[in-house]
Every structure is written in structure tokens, then in C-alpha cells.
Amino acid sequence: MATLSPALALGEQAADPNLRRIRDLVYQVAGIFQPESKFYYLADRCGRRMKVVGIGSYRDYLQYLTASPYRETELRQLLNEITVGETCFFRNQPQLDALRTVVLPSVTAEKARWGFNHLRIWSAGCSTGEEPYTLAMILMEEIPRALKGWTFEVVAHDLNDRSLAKAREATYTDYSMRHVSDYYRQKYFIPRNKGLSEVRDEVKARVSFSRMNLHDNSKMLFMKGMDIIFCCNVLIYFDGDSKRRTIQHFYNNLLPSGYFFLGHSESLFGVNDDFRLVHFPGTTGYRKFPVKTGAAK
């Protein structure tokens, strides 16, 4: 088995043409761009996989990623190393309050005009599942009120296989649960050994998880009919072109009068002019307003 070369200094890493080509391959496949200031991170993640498969140079690893019989499997493993996210339950409370007090009443009123009583919510880049489970619990709380007589589903996607496996397992540490109130803990979680908590089956049944690459145009085209989309702290890893392309898919996949939420520090400024910025107490979101018929062009 080949021995992994010692880690290169940042300048040497950035200058290595094969590491640059690996960076470009990741960008081509997943839209994730690693600037030169982050080459140390890419080099570290590549190094982990190179050690596993017994490769000692970026040149040989690039060959393994592009020309070996295991190229698709290995690229998927590399993406698992690169796309490790940090999240927790009830991460952005003002955003969730806006969902409950403004967005749900608005969306249900609009859909009721057309005789529909089913909601579709999309958690894009769901990581280990805390966000979609949070959304499901909030919507379950609204069944006697805003969602009385309604059905709903939460569709959750991520690129990372390990994150999705953790999401389906639905067992979490106290760190992930740090913002969960006693009320939600008692109603929607089961205490397990070693301080872990498991999401109850009735919540799990509301969420469907699957692997999806937000950079895959063919799959994004089939995500039509969404009422609300959450994509928080995912697009920070995309460059301008990838971000614009993905945001346009989100816009096209939302129903008229649907809502779109980004992470707390993210914005569509300079990225997309189709969405309308909406201000809520302590947070912001975006809305897709219906196109007015007969409007001047």
C-alpha cells in the first residue's frame, strides 16, 4: 500500500495542478467551489480518502477519481468528506416563528381558494435531519389550528450519505437538542441510553429523506409543486454561477405565493431578482408572488 505524502504547505497545495483539477472536478459535479484560501481543507479531505484507498499523490488520486472502475463510488466518498454540516434542532427561532404565525396562514389561505389542502415543504441540504424534523414537529403542532383538515409532507435531501444515514436513524445528542424545549422533548422524543434522544415514529413518518445533488439540473427540474423551501447554510459553499442556477430552480419549483428561507447570514442580493424580500420580526425570507396577467412587458 502506498504511503500518503506529508501534508504540503498551503502555498504548495494551491500550486499543485492535480489538486486544482480535483477542486474543478468537485465543482463540476456538485457546484461546491474551494477557493485557494480553503485549499488546506480540500487537501485534508483528499488526504483522508487517499489514505483509505492507499494512494500517495494528488496525481494518482485524480486518476483514481476519473479513470478507475471505482471513480463514481470514490467521488461520492470524497463528497461525503467535504460536505459535513453543523446544525441543530430549532436553529433559527425567529424564522420558525415566522413560519408558524405568518407563512402557514398565508399559504393555506391562498391554496384554499383553489380547493387544495395539502402542503409540501422542502428541506434542501438537510444535513443530519434536525431541520426537517423540526419543521415536521411545528406543522404537527398546527394540525388543530392552521392545518386543521390539511395534510402535509416534508421532503428532505442532502448530498452526504453519512448525514442521511444519521437523519434516518434519528437519534441525537444533547448538543443537537440544546434548543429543544421541555415540551417538545417530552412530546416528540424518546430518551435513550447515554443521554441520546430519538425522534418518535409519528414525526419520522412525516419526513422522507433521499440523496440529491442540488447541482443536478435534471433532478432539480422534477421538484415542482413546493409551498415552502428551506435551504439554510448550503449555498455558502457555491460560487456565483452555481448559486444563481440553484436559486432559479428553487424559484421555478415553488408554487405562486410560496416562501423561501435561507440561513441567517445569507442573502439573495446580487443573485436573484425574481423573489421578493419579506421582513418578519427578527428575520427575513423570500416570497414568489404570482405573475400579474396583462402586465406591461
Side-chain angles (χ1 to χ4, degrees):
M1 178 181 292
T3 303
L4 182 65
S5 301
L8 298 174
L10 177 59
E12 294 175 297
Q13 292 168 352
D16 190 300
N18 293 295
L19 185 60
R20 286 175 173 273
R21 292 186 183 106
I22 294 172
R23 186 268 306 271
D24 294 343
L25 176 63
V26 169
Y27 174 71
Q28 178 184 352
V29 171
I32 300 169
F33 183 75
Q34 300 284 344
E36 291 190 6
S37 61
K38 298 284 188 178
F39 263 46
Y40 69 91
Y41 180 84
L42 178 62
D44 176 72
R45 276 13 187 204
C46 287
R48 295 183 185 187
R49 290 305 309 163
M50 290 161 65
K51 188 173 183 179
V52 169
V53 297
I55 291 175
S57 72
Y58 294 132
R59 177 180 179 276
D60 290 342
Y61 188 51
L62 176 63
Q63 182 76 6
Y64 193 79
L65 285 169
T66 56
S68 79
Y70 310 104
R71 58 187 180 275
E72 293 184 6
T73 300
E74 181 56 30
L75 182 56
R76 190 159 172 164
Q77 292 295 335
L78 179 59
L79 290 174
N80 287 342
E81 291 289 347
I82 291 173
T83 57
V84 178
E86 154 65 21
T87 186
C88 63
F89 288 96
F90 295 88
R91 183 172 186 172
N92 188 335
Q93 191 60 51
Q95 198 175 73
L96 300 173
D97 290 340
L99 170 68
R100 181 177 55 83
T101 62
V102 179
V103 173
L104 287 179
S106 172
V107 171
T108 53
E110 185 69 24
K111 294 197 78 172
R113 292 174 52 204
W114 303 100
F116 297 111
N117 64 346
H118 180 75
L119 288 179
R120 298 188 75 205
I121 298 91
W122 183 9
S123 174
C126 66
S127 189
T128 46
E130 288 92 330
E131 178 182 88
Y133 285 134
T134 296
L135 297 174
M137 288 184 281
I138 288 175
L139 269 59
M140 290 171 73
E141 284 292 299
E142 292 301 313
I143 289 175
R145 296 181 288 273
L147 296 181
K148 188 174 183 178
W150 285 70
T151 57
F152 71 85
E153 59 181 308
V154 180
V155 180
H157 291 119
D158 201 88
L159 184 63
N160 191 305
D161 294 293
R162 294 199 295 262
S163 294
L164 289 169
K166 175 68 175 176
R168 295 187 183 101
E169 181 184 278
T171 303
Y172 297 94
T173 64
D174 278 341
Y175 187 71
S176 292
M177 300 277 293
R178 61 190 183 274
H179 297 315
V180 181
S181 68
D182 290 340
Y183 171 83
Y184 277 92
R185 280 178 181 263
Q186 294 171 11
K187 187 171 182 179
Y188 295 112
F189 293 88
I190 302 171
R192 296 302 188 195
N193 294 331
K194 300 179 181 179
L196 299 175
S197 300
E198 182 180 354
V199 177
R200 290 188 180 272
D201 288 344
E202 54 266 35
V203 182
K204 295 179 189 177
R206 302 282 186 168
V207 184
S208 62
F209 291 98
S210 59
R211 185 179 186 272
M212 183 173 175
N213 182 353
L214 298 181
H215 200 60
D216 188 331
N217 290 325
S218 61
K219 290 186 178 180
M220 290 288 278
L221 288 171
F222 286 94
M223 296 301 297
K224 303 294 185 186
M226 294 294 168
D227 294 294
I228 305 163
I229 299 175
F230 284 77
C231 184
C232 300
N233 304 310
V234 176
L235 300 179
I236 56 176
Y237 301 105
F238 288 14
D239 74 344
D241 289 340
S242 296
K243 193 176 296 186
R244 280 186 285 273
R245 187 183 310 116
T246 304
I247 292 295
Q248 191 61 54
H249 278 301
F250 287 143
Y251 182 85
N252 294 339
N253 290 332
L254 266 180
L255 292 172
S257 299
Y259 286 81
F260 175 56
F261 288 98
L262 288 168
H264 178 71
S265 62
E266 297 178 281
S267 169
L268 293 184
F269 179 77
V271 178
N272 181 283
D273 296 326
D274 294 328
F275 279 106
R276 303 277 188 88
L277 179 66
V278 182
H279 291 273
F280 304 106
T283 190
T284 58
Y286 295 90
R287 192 178 185 190
K288 177 180 178 177
F289 281 91
V291 177
K292 295 182 179 179
T293 58
K297 296 182 179 180

